[in-house]
Amino acid sequence: MKKIIFFFSLLIVSQSALADWVLDKDQSILNFITTKNASKTEIQSFEVMQGHIKGNQATLRVDLSSVDTGIDIRDDRLRTLFFNIAKFPEAAASLKIAPADIKAIKLGYSEKMSLDAVIDLYGVKQTLPVVVQVTRLKEGKLLVFSKQPLIVNLKNFNLLEGLNKLRDIAKLQSINVAVPVTFSLLFTKK
């Protein structure tokens, strides 16, 4: 269901030259898409995350208690039954990117990048491919967004038990185990 992934995880991504970059959390978003009973698809997000890029290392940390589905009871169930935030309060994503690749992007231009993100979710680390678009908006601003959704398979993060608990309590026939994650992350040079 919700992966973070991201990313999300993910997203994270970009960074540049030898300067440090900090995530502008008010201008950034991390979404995940769930499908239940084979036909009901919904978009959810996380409200609290932090990220930075230092040298060639980009990281994103997501506060799993900040999940926002638009329904309070569902948010509570995700926090306790699925994410188990008492034991696993956050998810993280990290990746390496060559500072020269960011520095090479001209002001106002974008570059597609295929990278490997290490996702740390529910005590499990997995490396997943992520395709991002990095745009140099103006001096000191980088926008990193998912060019393609990052697909997080819940089975690979030992989340099937929590998924089954959610399905049973909500009396659903099914919830997809492959969760697409998208993101748009704005970084500001420190």
Side-chain angles (χ1 to χ4, degrees), residues 15-17 96-106 110-115 134 136 142:
Q15 302 21 203
S16 108
K96 293 194 183 303
I97 186 168
D101 290 345
I102 298 299
K103 191 173 185 179
I105 300 171
K106 294 179 183 174
S110 297
E111 188 68 39
K112 175 182 168 185
M113 297 183 185
S114 298
L115 304 166
V134 180
R136 187 176 291 268
L142 290 175

Side-chain angles (χ1 to χ4, degrees), residues 25 45-50 61-67:
K25 54 190 175 236
S45 63
F46 293 95
E47 299 298 313
V48 179
M49 56 188 157
Q50 58 183 345
R61 295 194 167 300
V62 180
D63 179 349
L64 297 178
S65 69
S66 74
V67 65

Side-chain angles (χ1 to χ4, degrees), residues 30-44:
L30 174 61
N31 293 318
F32 59 94
I33 301 167
T34 58
T35 302
K36 56 189 177 186
N37 292 340
S39 64
K40 175 91 171 156
T41 301
E42 299 169 317
I43 300 171
Q44 281 100 153

Side-chain angles (χ1 to χ4, degrees), residues 11 23 27-30 49 143-146 182-186:
L11 321 171
L23 181 72
Q27 299 298 317
S28 300
I29 185 105
L30 174 61
M49 56 188 157
L143 178 64
V144 181
F145 62 92
S146 47
T182 62
F183 52 88
S184 176
L185 305 174
L186 182 65

Side-chain angles (χ1 to χ4, degrees), residues 25 39 45 50 52 56 59 66-67 71 77 96-97 105 121 124 130 139 141-142 163 166 172 177 179 187:
K25 54 190 175 236
S39 64
S45 63
Q50 58 183 345
H52 65 270
N56 70 345
T59 59
S66 74
V67 65
I71 300 172
R77 289 173 178 169
K96 293 194 183 303
I97 186 168
I105 300 171
L121 173 64
V124 177
V130 60
E139 204 54 48
K141 299 279 185 188
L142 290 175
L163 185 71
L166 287 177
L172 299 171
V177 299
V179 177
F187 288 91

Side-chain angles (χ1 to χ4, degrees), residues 14 21 23 62 69 72-73 83 102 116 120 133 152 170 190:
S14 56
W21 298 80
L23 181 72
V62 180
T69 67
D72 290 342
I73 186 85
F83 290 124
I102 298 299
D116 289 325
D120 185 349
Q133 192 82 15
V152 176
K190 285 173 56 174

